Amino acid sequence: MREKYDPVRKPGEGNEILTSKRRAEAEENMVVLLSRLPATECIKFCHRVVDGLCGREPPRRSEHSTTWSPEEWLQLLDSLSTFYRRAVGSDSSEKEVLGGLADVGSSHAEAVLSVLRARQEEIHHALLDRTNSISSATLQDFDWQLKLSLSSDKISSLHTPLLSLSLDVREDAALRSVTMEMNPEELNTLISSLEAANKVVLQLK
């Protein structure tokens, strides 16, 4: 879905639009590079790229040294890997996937899509394993309480609202409790960090 123009931009919208533009440029370049392969070879190449995503042997540069330069090779691997990760992680429909391949010849678009259909579940599991490897700890439950600071060694912090946040975290078989107190500024920092982390996780899925 294309973003509608809004004359009043929210904070961060400019960066998101710039990211989308760069993503479109990367996919356009990927299209140009893929078109150098016959459709049958394109299928084999895409399967090898997915093999690399899933922890197996990726395609070798030496096998395609006459097709792409070293710079083009790196760009193509990165763009195609990102394309498959995003398609699976965001659970994109075939229509949305084909939309990103709008300029690819029909045979090459079908080659890329056929590999996605055949390996989607495998890519999904590989991305989950990658996400889980970041940390074995999982959040089981949380609770919060709003407090008002009535005394402090800093006069400026008197009558400052404080959020007491309790997290129940399970790591392996052990359940431990983590408690923290934050003022409004610290809470905003935490929320921003969690939002940024969520975006990274969505990209990894």
Side-chain angles (χ1 to χ4, degrees):
M1 180 181 296
R2 293 185 178 178
E3 183 174 349
K4 295 182 179 179
Y5 173 73
D6 185 352
V8 181
R9 295 208 177 278
K10 299 177 182 178
E13 276 189 332
N15 292 334
E16 292 178 3
I17 293 175
L18 183 59
T19 300
S20 298
K21 183 178 179 180
R22 288 175 178 170
R23 181 186 304 163
E25 291 174 349
E27 290 180 357
E28 182 179 353
N29 191 45
M30 179 186 77
V31 166
V32 174
L33 296 176
L34 277 178
S35 64
R36 298 181 189 175
L37 287 176
T40 53
E41 291 299 317
C42 182
I43 293 178
K44 294 178 182 178
F45 180 77
C46 290
H47 271 296
R48 293 289 300 279
V49 171
V50 173
D51 285 343
L53 278 176
C54 297
R56 293 190 288 278
E57 185 178 3
R60 296 179 180 177
R61 155 76 181 145
S62 58
E63 298 171 349
H64 303 279
S65 58
T66 59
T67 307
W68 303 295
S69 68
E71 294 79 9
E72 291 173 335
W73 171 258
L74 294 175
Q75 289 175 8
L76 180 58
L77 284 185
D78 180 67
S79 298
L80 196 52
S81 298
T82 300
F83 180 84
Y84 280 122
R85 284 199 303 267
R86 189 169 60 250
V88 174
S90 61
D91 197 23
S92 301
S93 65
E94 288 192 6
K95 184 177 180 180
E96 291 171 327
V97 173
L98 287 173
L101 300 171
D103 295 326
V104 182
S106 59
S107 58
H108 287 75
E110 181 56 35
V112 174
L113 190 57
S114 67
V115 173
L116 177 61
R117 292 193 198 104
R119 309 287 294 275
Q120 186 167 2
E121 193 65 26
E122 191 176 354
I123 296 172
H124 179 69
H125 285 302
L127 295 180
L128 283 179
D129 289 341
R130 182 179 174 184
T131 303
N132 292 336
S133 67
I134 296 176
S135 175
S136 59
T138 56
L139 179 64
Q140 296 294 299
D141 198 4
F142 71 94
D143 192 15
W144 61 273
Q145 186 177 16
L146 189 61
K147 300 179 179 179
L148 187 64
S149 175
L150 298 178
S151 61
S152 172
D153 56 349
K154 295 182 180 179
I155 301 300
S156 60
S157 64
L158 289 175
H159 304 290
T160 299
L162 295 175
L163 178 75
S164 177
L165 179 64
S166 298
L167 306 175
D168 292 333
V169 180
R170 183 175 298 279
E171 190 165 8
D172 297 326
L175 184 66
R176 59 190 179 90
S177 180
V178 178
T179 302
M180 61 188 80
E181 284 191 349
M182 295 168 285
N183 59 33
E185 182 180 350
E186 293 168 333
L187 177 59
N188 287 332
T189 300
L190 174 63
I191 292 174
S192 297
S193 299
L194 291 175
E195 289 176 343
N198 185 55
K199 289 183 179 179
V200 173
V201 170
L202 290 176
Q203 292 173 355
L204 293 176
K205 287 183 177 180

